[in-house]
Amino acid sequence: MDLLEYQGKQLFARHAIPVPSGQPASTVEQAVAAADQIGYPCVVKAQVLIGGRGKAGGIRVAKDRAEAEQHARSILGMDIKGFTVHEVWIEEASQIAAEYYASIVFDRAAKAPLVMLSKEGGVEIEQVAEENPEALARLHVDPLLGFQDFHGRRLAFAAGIDADLIRPVGAMLAKLYAAFVAEEAMLVEVNPLIVTPERDVRALDAKVTLDDNSLYRHADNAALRDPSAEDAQEQMAHERGLTYVKLEGDIGILGNGAGLVMSTLDVVALAGGAPANFLDAGGGSKADAIVSAVEVILSDEKVKAVLFNIFGGITRCDEVAKGLIEAFDVVKPTVPFVVRLDGTNDVEGRRLLAEANLPNVHTATTMNEAAEKVVELAANAGAAA
Amino acid sequence: MDLLEYQGKQLFARHAIPVPSGQPASTVEQAVAAADQIGYPCVVKAQVLIGGRGKAGGIRVAKDRAEAEQHARSILGMDIKGFTVHEVWIEEASQIAAEYYASIVFDRAAKAPLVMLSKEGGVEIEQVAEENPEALARLHVDPLLGFQDFHGRRLAFAAGIDADLIRPVGAMLAKLYAAFVAEEAMLVEVNPLIVTPERDVRALDAKVTLDDNSLYRHADNAALRDPSAEDAQEQMAHERGLTYVKLEGDIGILGNGAGLVMSTLDVVALAGGAPANFLDAGGGSKADAIVSAVEVILSDEKVKAVLFNIFGGITRCDEVAKGLIEAFDVVKPTVPFVVRLDGTNDVEGRRLLAEANLPNVHTATTMNEAAEKVVELAANAGAAA
Amino acid sequence: MSVLVGTDTRLVVTGITGREGTFHALNNRRYGTQVVAGVTPGKGGQDVEGIPVFNTLAEAVEEQGANTAMIFVPPRFAADSILEAEEAGISLIIAITEGIPAHDELRVYTHLKRNPNVTLVGPNCPGILSPGKASVGIIPASFFKQGNVGVVSRSGTLTYQIGNELAQRGFGNSSIVGIGGDPVPGSSFIDIIALFEADPETELIVMSGEIGGSAEEEAAEYIAANVTKPVVAYIAGFTAPPGKTMGHAGAIVSGTAGTARAKQEALEAKGVRVGRTPTETAELAMQILGNR
Amino acid sequence: MSVLVGTDTRLVVTGITGREGTFHALNNRRYGTQVVAGVTPGKGGQDVEGIPVFNTLAEAVEEQGANTAMIFVPPRFAADSILEAEEAGISLIIAITEGIPAHDELRVYTHLKRNPNVTLVGPNCPGILSPGKASVGIIPASFFKQGNVGVVSRSGTLTYQIGNELAQRGFGNSSIVGIGGDPVPGSSFIDIIALFEADPETELIVMSGEIGGSAEEEAAEYIAANVTKPVVAYIAGFTAPPGKTMGHAGAIVSGTAGTARAKQEALEAKGVRVGRTPTETAELAMQILGNR
């Protein structure tokens, strides 16, 4: 789960990480009222889960109320790389003497949190890492020992931080680490971490990714999910507890298990088709889940054919067949389906499907055969349309 | 640093460990006012750092104000095994369905916290451990991993705790562990840990020993030290930053380093003497510290002779000599001194002493010789007196 | 022979009294696995169709000599259950549970790796099947038969798919090991490939990876330096768009590293043949074994 | 030979720019120890009479090849400094600092013991002296000469006292190791006795213990099972009253276990001769060496 900038900053504030004060707003009126309260100059910042907001005109300084209103009006509703701006964050303007970079990443390869610090902040850090790797200091932290003072010193000295800021920057990293652990983040990134003319350090931006699996014990964070930021189909799938990712093509895909679904996408693509989505019905998929899944897939109007690719383990093929029969009763689909059932209770599943004699439902015994068939059906549907 | 029962309970309460409510009082009037507020029946408990308060009559239930006053009057000022009662703790009376035992010890041998739990509480646990070791469940906790839920379950099942209390007792142990770590305790003991008729668990007693070395980062705890509980000489030494323990004999002892001082006590005892104290002037003892030390030693009127046993490492013998000369000037002792100086700058130290020609100061070159001489001088002084 | 589970396995199942726990514990026993105990706190003294249930893993080890634990408890209890198994002296812990918080996994992994006497497989994995000997987990064992192909996979259903493709071509498996697709798997491709390399029954190794992380790239280096047996690989996720999460936390693509293409190239650069589909992968394996 | 410190020692001193740090670093150098670096954060680039000062221990290792660290910082910074030394790849850490919180020591100990490449001696110890070769710490080196007696002690000044008694009788030392009297010493009697057992120069081992804890009792068991060289022991604290703290956190007597008497009996039961005074201990050592 990715947090919007202002949600990240509110999370930071809970851990005593200094951030500029501000208020979120989702209408022009709210934005102006917030700006009045914060005072001028202030900054109007688009809240979307994508980088490059500044270049796109999504971050603007307002020197007075008229400008605040003008900026809020132009930014709210703006499209930034396919993301619509539903909220802005009105923030006090900060004075900047220097821009640093700090982050903590859940490093899967090293199996330890990786803390990074650079004096070259405010720019794309990937570029710094590539062109001048020495400028990006890195240190892994033992997860059971935790962040120690010396980690902060080593990073700060290695990054060439000014002598008077070694301690405050180290302390900031310690707090970021504490937040990373306490909130169970996968990523905490501050770019830029600014130094003010008074030599204070502050997080001027906040990028936080939380672990979805941990949200059950973080009620505050779980409540933050912003459905408006999600695609309509994805939101629907999310509400129904399905793992769904919308793609660009016209072949609806359902499978059980993320690996098998990814593989199915690949096999369909190799057969010349274009998948419309990724949908993992999960382990032990029951009939209800299948009905929901069919509804989600077909809510995407681009879909011209659907492929069910099931290899039963915990998932029982007869349950999937029952779900599909029920879905046809409820949803009455008009597009062709290709169904491949293999694994646990596959014979029973195929028997149920055959008996139900659903309209325009085709069966296949292998994954490759199923992919070829669905690509052909989608192409025919496209030609007919 | 040992905490009084009520200080321990207040510490527990900070960690959400359930304890009966109560108030401390150091006068009869305060005690009665506290009892009135708590309501009757209530319990008047002597606050001293020694076990066996109950048997000594230091814990009494008051069913009304008259009894509260009577008990407070009899307990305040009472002597329990050499400890004078300066404070009582007035506590709500608890209903007891069962008495358990729980503790966490900083186990030096295993180098890990040891958590112990028994169904047989309210009695001397050493006796339980000896007579029925199975009844005392024990488990070490990895200090970096910390206390896990399974530790609580293992202990609770192993101790034979009633089925409905497995979870609450496990949760209580988890909180005790959290307190043990957060407050940097060397010991946290609850005896008895009671079960109420409503099946709640509560700490009815609290024995907490804190690590003196950690007090600098626990301002709350550091402020708790109760000087009235200490011996007058020990209090004086403590205020001057000296490590001093009062003993029963008549030979004052000063040395540098705990091991050497302990060894000096042994050698004096072997020579037939009785040490009056343990005093470690510490590493790098300066002249000031020596003056303070002499004052502390001589404030014990039983002292008939004093032994200085110094082997210089960081401590410089010339500094010790200067301190002793200054001390004679300030304190003007009337008892004989034996001084053994060896190690860093010993030649210079001995020269200074010889030049000062202090009254009744004898020198020795070895520890054994010094011990024999001081025992002889003390015996003569005793005979003369 | 086989790796990790076999005729010596004495299995304890945590969460055995839950619906899924009971179902799969009995399934594993039916296959021939010695299921010697179950653990559910508070249900000690009961039994599940003759399998004795204990309150703690320590009791299961003490009373029944359990040496392998299958973790089947819900995600919020799984880390604790794994740590309990380690503390009880279990030497192989197979964690089926899906959805364990990543920071829990990290703490557990870091603690367990310091104990050389314990191996963790999973979490979020289908378990381990050594056909004809023992099955621990949820792999549909009837689709596989005993043979000389070792399979190691990050994905559950993909494991079955590939194993089944091999079986349909007449090949069998020494063991099928699902390592799971979570951020911090207890055992890596490398750990399992090393076991297959040392296993006399295994003549060919199939590894099935997916986008995200760098486990496949690391395995490629390891194979080049240490493995004498032929290895065939499959990678899922060639058409996954960058930056999109595909269900597994493991399937987050960041930049170019971690893409299916990058993994394929890393493996092929070290001489490992990579199939484009599960079917092609099975065919590659068949060719190599047929030529021997 | 000698143990732990010697001619290969390349010492870095943390807290070198403090008054005591400077004094003892220079003292150690004067004795012949290779003092190659100091560390004081923020003072990198300076030097202490020619000893270069760095901001971090990692730099001291990288630039100067330091392999041994002496920790001389105040107690509240000591745990961090020890952990920094371990992370920097230092193989021997000698912590002089007195007064480190016990829970800090416990965390540090638990972390370090998982790294087989690092040894911690102390904290709250006087250091290690290998006469004629190197001195790291605050032991007044001029009182000791090279020889064949290995000394290991929990108490600083008692170390000097016993070493000096031996020197006065004409004996010298292979190494004198102060392990400190804190609740969680990095190295135990057993660790150091094992080194002396393996050291060809050492012909007799003197261990000096004190009341509290069970380190002496454990050493007695170890000696009986593993040590071929003669061992003579001294225990301080026969007249210490039970339940009284004697300055060292280590000197808390609880019940009968941990008393000087119990320790003496444990050692004598395993054939270790125990002197009643430092002088008698030195005489015992002399007798044994004279008879060889």
Side-chain angles (χ1 to χ4, degrees):
Chain A
M1 173 181 177
D2 294 316
L3 300 193
L4 294 167
E5 174 198 1
Y6 83 89
Q7 296 169 333
K9 283 183 173 166
Q10 289 172 342
L11 180 148
F12 282 0
R14 289 208 299 273
H15 293 275
I17 296 161
V19 289
S21 61
Q23 288 180 29
S26 48
T27 65
V28 174
E29 294 67 37
Q30 282 174 7
V32 171
D36 278 353
Q37 207 177 320
I38 285 155
Y40 299 95
C42 65
V43 190
V44 183
K45 304 178 85 174
Q47 299 297 295
V48 282
L49 293 173
I50 192 83
R53 292 174 295 162
K55 280 189 194 157
I59 301 180
R60 291 186 190 165
V61 178
K63 66 172 192 297
D64 54 28
R65 173 185 286 194
E67 281 193 8
E69 181 173 351
Q70 181 188 332
H71 295 336
R73 198 173 300 283
S74 73
I75 293 173
L76 278 166
M78 177 187 269
D79 179 283
I80 301 180
K81 298 182 188 171
F83 288 77
T84 305
V85 180
H86 298 285
E87 279 184 288
V88 289
W89 171 244
I90 313 296
E91 182 174 273
E92 59 168 321
S94 293
Q95 298 239 289
I96 301 174
E99 294 184 302
Y100 294 166
Y101 169 92
S103 68
I104 305 174
V105 182
F106 191 105
D107 184 345
R108 295 168 45 159
K111 296 180 171 71
L114 174 64
V115 186
M116 295 190 274
L117 179 69
S118 178
K119 229 179 140 172
E120 301 185 17
V123 296
E124 289 217 0
I125 199 65
E126 291 84 348
Q127 208 174 323
V128 173
E130 199 168 311
E131 291 169 9
N132 188 10
E134 296 269 301
L136 183 63
R138 305 158 196 236
L139 205 59
H140 285 103
V141 175
D142 182 293
L144 291 176
L145 186 65
F147 192 89
Q148 306 295 312
D149 287 346
F150 84 80
H151 289 118
R153 287 198 303 275
R154 274 199 63 175
L155 285 162
F157 282 116
I161 299 297
D162 295 350
D164 64 319
L165 295 175
I166 297 289
R167 272 168 190 278
V169 167
M172 169 72 97
L173 292 176
K175 285 178 193 166
L176 286 171
Y177 189 89
F180 177 83
V181 172
E183 306 287 349
E184 305 194 60
M186 304 305 283
L187 170 71
V188 164
E189 189 178 42
V190 182
N191 191 16
L193 178 73
I194 60 161
V195 181
T196 67
E198 297 78 31
R199 311 299 284 169
D200 291 325
V201 291
R202 282 172 139 187
L204 199 62
D205 197 1
K207 190 171 176 194
V208 175
T209 304
L210 300 173
D211 174 18
D212 288 348
N213 285 339
S214 77
L215 289 179
Y216 73 86
R217 52 189 174 199
H218 300 280
D220 286 6
N221 295 338
L224 287 181
R225 192 174 283 277
D226 174 14
S228 66
E230 289 182 36
D231 172 90
Q233 266 91 40
E234 291 185 359
Q235 190 183 332
M236 183 172 168
H238 180 75
E239 282 162 9
R240 294 166 187 221
L242 299 166
T243 304
Y244 173 92
V245 180
K246 192 170 178 182
L247 303 172
E248 300 301 315
D250 56 7
I251 298 175
I253 307 278
L254 175 146
N256 62 318
L260 184 64
V261 181
M262 276 195 282
S263 177
T264 309
L265 301 185
D266 292 348
V267 173
V268 166
L270 275 177
N277 66 274
F278 169 105
L279 193 155
D280 176 8
S285 314
K286 291 282 174 300
D288 284 1
I290 300 296
V291 176
S292 283
V294 169
E295 284 176 337
V296 169
I297 290 171
L298 294 181
S299 70
D300 177 358
E301 294 181 353
K302 292 200 306 300
V303 170
K304 299 206 189 93
V306 175
L307 171 58
F308 263 47
N309 186 18
I310 302 292
F311 198 105
I314 293 193
T315 302
R316 287 162 48 187
C317 292
D318 56 334
E319 282 282 349
V320 174
K322 281 182 200 158
L324 188 58
I325 292 163
E326 203 180 317
F328 265 71
D329 192 39
V330 176
V331 191
K332 308 204 190 304
T334 57
V335 301
F337 275 58
V338 177
V339 181
R340 181 254 182 162
L341 295 178
D342 223 335
T344 308
N345 294 7
D346 52 354
V347 175
E348 172 69 4
R350 288 192 213 113
R351 193 185 60 75
L352 288 171
L353 274 190
E355 282 175 6
N357 195 24
L358 302 176
N360 218 353
V361 169
H362 310 257
T363 58
T365 53
T366 71
M367 193 162 153
N368 286 4
E369 183 197 333
E372 279 159 22
K373 200 171 274 185
V374 79
V375 170
E376 190 189 321
L377 289 166
N380 292 346
Chain B
M1 173 180 175
D2 295 317
L3 300 192
L4 294 167
E5 174 198 1
Y6 83 88
Q7 295 168 334
K9 282 181 173 167
Q10 289 172 342
L11 180 148
F12 282 0
R14 290 207 299 275
H15 294 275
I17 296 160
V19 289
S21 60
Q23 288 180 30
S26 49
T27 66
V28 174
E29 294 68 37
Q30 282 175 7
V32 171
D36 277 354
Q37 209 177 320
I38 287 156
Y40 300 95
C42 65
V43 190
V44 183
K45 304 178 86 174
Q47 298 298 295
V48 282
L49 293 174
I50 193 82
R53 290 175 296 163
K55 280 189 194 158
I59 300 179
R60 291 186 190 166
V61 177
K63 67 171 190 297
D64 54 28
R65 174 185 284 194
E67 281 194 8
E69 181 173 350
Q70 182 188 331
H71 294 336
R73 198 173 300 282
S74 73
I75 293 173
L76 279 166
M78 176 186 269
D79 178 285
I80 301 179
K81 298 183 189 172
F83 288 78
T84 306
V85 179
H86 297 286
E87 281 183 287
V88 291
W89 171 244
I90 314 296
E91 183 174 272
E92 60 170 318
S94 293
Q95 299 240 288
I96 301 175
E99 294 184 301
Y100 295 166
Y101 169 92
S103 68
I104 305 174
V105 182
F106 191 106
D107 184 344
R108 296 168 45 159
K111 297 181 171 70
L114 174 65
V115 187
M116 295 191 275
L117 179 69
S118 178
K119 228 179 142 172
E120 301 186 17
V123 297
E124 289 216 0
I125 199 66
E126 291 83 348
Q127 207 173 324
V128 174
E130 199 168 312
E131 292 170 8
N132 187 11
E134 296 270 302
L136 183 62
R138 304 158 197 237
L139 204 59
H140 284 104
V141 175
D142 182 294
L144 291 176
L145 185 66
F147 192 90
Q148 307 294 313
D149 287 346
F150 83 80
H151 289 119
R153 287 198 302 275
R154 274 199 63 176
L155 285 162
F157 282 116
I161 299 297
D162 294 349
D164 65 319
L165 296 175
I166 297 290
R167 272 168 190 278
V169 167
M172 169 73 97
L173 292 176
K175 285 179 192 166
L176 286 172
Y177 189 89
F180 177 83
V181 171
E183 305 287 349
E184 304 194 59
M186 304 305 284
L187 170 72
V188 164
E189 189 178 42
V190 182
N191 190 16
L193 178 74
I194 60 161
V195 181
T196 69
E198 297 78 30
R199 310 299 282 169
D200 290 325
V201 291
R202 283 172 137 188
L204 199 62
D205 197 0
K207 190 171 176 195
V208 175
T209 303
L210 300 174
D211 175 18
D212 288 348
N213 286 340
S214 77
L215 289 178
Y216 73 88
R217 52 188 174 200
H218 300 280
D220 285 6
N221 295 339
L224 288 180
R225 192 174 283 279
D226 175 16
S228 66
E230 290 182 37
D231 171 271
Q233 267 91 41
E234 290 185 359
Q235 190 183 334
M236 183 174 167
H238 180 74
E239 282 162 7
R240 295 168 187 219
L242 299 166
T243 304
Y244 173 94
V245 181
K246 193 169 177 182
L247 303 171
E248 300 300 316
D250 57 6
I251 297 174
I253 307 277
L254 175 146
N256 62 320
L260 184 63
V261 182
M262 277 195 282
S263 177
T264 308
L265 301 185
D266 292 349
V267 173
V268 166
L270 275 177
N277 67 274
F278 169 105
L279 194 155
D280 176 8
S285 315
K286 291 282 174 300
D288 284 2
I290 300 296
V291 177
S292 282
V294 170
E295 285 177 338
V296 169
I297 290 171
L298 295 181
S299 71
D300 178 358
E301 294 180 355
K302 291 200 307 299
V303 169
K304 298 206 190 92
V306 177
L307 170 59
F308 263 47
N309 187 20
I310 303 292
F311 199 105
I314 293 194
T315 301
R316 289 162 46 187
C317 292
D318 55 333
E319 282 282 349
V320 174
K322 281 181 201 159
L324 188 59
I325 293 164
E326 202 180 319
F328 265 70
D329 192 38
V330 176
V331 190
K332 305 201 192 307
T334 57
V335 301
F337 275 59
V338 176
V339 181
R340 180 255 182 160
L341 295 178
D342 224 333
T344 307
N345 294 7
D346 52 354
V347 175
E348 173 69 4
R350 289 190 212 113
R351 193 185 60 75
L352 288 170
L353 276 189
E355 281 175 7
N357 195 23
L358 302 175
N360 219 354
V361 170
H362 310 256
T363 57
T365 54
T366 71
M367 193 162 152
N368 286 3
E369 185 198 332
E372 279 159 22
K373 200 170 276 183
V374 80
V375 170
E376 191 189 321
L377 289 166
N380 293 345
Chain C
M1 268 190 33
S2 54
V3 305
L4 295 167
V5 311
T7 50
D8 295 339
T9 295
R10 294 180 63 80
L11 186 67
V12 52
V13 178
T14 76
I16 196 169
T17 55
R19 209 178 60 90
E20 295 284 314
T22 300
F23 178 79
H24 291 287
L26 295 177
N27 236 355
N28 288 172
R29 183 171 70 173
R30 207 170 298 121
Y31 191 77
T33 314
Q34 295 184 67
V35 183
V36 299
V39 169
T40 300
K43 300 205 172 167
Q46 302 184 6
D47 75 294
V48 170
E49 302 205 9
I51 303 167
V53 177
F54 298 93
N55 288 319
T56 65
L57 271 150
E59 288 170 286
V61 170
E62 215 168 279
E63 307 280 325
Q64 293 290 105
N67 57 19
T68 301
M70 173 158 74
I71 307 297
F72 229 107
V73 297
R76 64 186 69 190
F77 307 118
D80 188 57
S81 193
I82 295 169
L83 293 170
E84 182 182 0
E86 187 260 352
E87 209 269 349
I90 292 284
S91 57
L92 173 62
I93 305 169
I94 300 168
I96 311 297
T97 308
E98 182 180 349
I100 300 178
H103 282 255
D104 276 5
E105 291 184 2
L106 189 58
R107 284 188 316 118
V108 166
Y109 177 89
T110 308
H111 183 69
L112 262 61
K113 84 170 166 195
R114 286 163 180 166
N115 179 350
N117 303 317
V118 70
T119 298
L120 172 66
V121 174
N124 189 14
C125 84
I128 304 172
L129 168 66
S130 295
K133 292 163 192 151
S135 177
V136 176
I138 62 174
I139 297 175
S142 60
F143 294 98
F144 311 101
K145 57 177 194 168
Q146 197 162 346
N148 55 7
V149 178
V151 175
V152 54
S153 173
R154 275 168 73 180
S155 156
T157 43
L158 213 43
T159 311
Y160 320 152
Q161 175 70 36
I162 291 173
N164 191 234
E165 298 260 10
L166 291 167
Q168 286 169 345
R169 286 164 181 76
F171 288 92
N173 301 105
S174 50
S175 294
I176 296 177
V177 181
I179 57 174
D182 267 8
V184 193
S187 290
S188 65
F189 280 123
I190 292 173
D191 296 328
I192 306 304
I193 287 171
L195 295 176
F196 281 134
E197 171 71 11
D199 172 41
E201 196 185 329
T202 302
E203 291 181 25
L204 179 140
I205 302 164
V206 174
M207 66 174 272
S208 164
E210 60 187 39
I211 51 171
S214 57
E216 292 80 3
E217 289 85 337
E218 288 154 25
E221 296 287 334
Y222 180 84
I223 290 165
N226 300 288
V227 179
T228 61
K229 297 179 180 177
V231 180
V232 171
Y234 174 70
I235 307 291
F238 277 85
T239 50
K244 288 272 187 182
T245 300
M246 291 291 179
H248 273 191
I252 298 168
V253 181
S254 54
T256 51
T259 61
R261 176 79 50 211
K263 290 174 188 299
Q264 179 189 15
E265 284 168 5
L267 285 160
E268 288 181 343
K270 300 296 180 182
V272 176
R273 296 180 69 179
V274 181
R276 288 299 307 262
T277 66
T279 308
E280 190 183 315
T281 308
E283 281 162 0
L284 285 175
M286 207 169 61
Q287 276 171 31
I288 293 171
L289 282 178
N291 289 341
R292 284 164 75 90
Chain D
M1 269 191 32
S2 54
V3 305
L4 294 168
V5 310
T7 50
D8 294 340
T9 296
R10 294 180 63 80
L11 185 68
V12 52
V13 178
T14 75
I16 196 170
T17 56
R19 209 178 59 90
E20 294 285 315
T22 300
F23 179 78
H24 291 287
L26 295 177
N27 237 355
N28 288 173
R29 184 171 68 173
R30 209 170 296 121
Y31 190 76
T33 314
Q34 296 184 69
V35 183
V36 300
V39 169
T40 300
K43 300 205 172 168
Q46 301 183 8
D47 76 295
V48 170
E49 302 206 9
I51 303 167
V53 177
F54 298 92
N55 288 318
T56 65
L57 272 150
E59 288 169 287
V61 170
E62 216 168 279
E63 307 279 326
Q64 293 291 106
N67 57 20
T68 301
M70 173 158 74
I71 308 297
F72 230 108
V73 297
R76 65 186 67 190
F77 306 119
D80 187 57
S81 194
I82 296 169
L83 292 170
E84 182 182 0
E86 186 260 351
E87 208 267 350
I90 292 284
S91 57
L92 173 62
I93 304 170
I94 300 169
I96 311 299
T97 309
E98 182 181 350
I100 301 178
H103 282 255
D104 276 6
E105 291 184 3
L106 189 57
R107 284 189 315 119
V108 165
Y109 177 88
T110 308
H111 184 70
L112 261 62
K113 83 169 168 197
R114 287 164 179 166
N115 179 350
N117 303 317
V118 70
T119 299
L120 172 67
V121 175
N124 190 13
C125 85
I128 304 171
L129 168 65
S130 295
K133 291 164 192 150
S135 176
V136 176
I138 63 175
I139 297 177
S142 62
F143 294 99
F144 311 100
K145 56 177 195 167
Q146 198 162 347
N148 55 7
V149 178
V151 175
V152 55
S153 173
R154 275 168 74 179
S155 156
T157 44
L158 213 42
T159 311
Y160 319 153
Q161 176 69 37
I162 291 173
N164 192 234
E165 298 261 11
L166 292 166
Q168 285 169 347
R169 286 163 181 76
F171 289 91
N173 301 105
S174 50
S175 294
I176 296 177
V177 181
I179 57 173
D182 268 7
V184 193
S187 290
S188 65
F189 281 123
I190 291 173
D191 296 327
I192 307 301
I193 288 171
L195 295 176
F196 281 134
E197 171 72 9
D199 172 41
E201 196 185 331
T202 303
E203 291 182 25
L204 179 140
I205 302 165
V206 174
M207 66 174 272
S208 164
E210 59 187 40
I211 51 171
S214 57
E216 292 80 3
E217 289 85 337
E218 288 154 24
E221 297 286 336
Y222 180 84
I223 290 164
N226 300 288
V227 178
T228 61
K229 298 179 181 178
V231 180
V232 171
Y234 174 70
I235 306 290
F238 277 86
T239 50
K244 288 271 186 181
T245 300
M246 292 289 178
H248 272 192
I252 298 167
V253 181
S254 53
T256 52
T259 62
R261 177 79 50 213
K263 289 173 189 298
Q264 179 189 16
E265 285 168 4
L267 285 159
E268 288 181 343
K270 300 296 180 182
V272 176
R273 296 181 69 180
V274 180
R276 286 301 306 262
T277 66
T279 308
E280 192 183 314
T281 309
E283 281 163 0
L284 286 173
M286 207 169 61
Q287 277 173 30
I288 293 172
L289 282 179
N291 289 342
R292 283 164 75 89

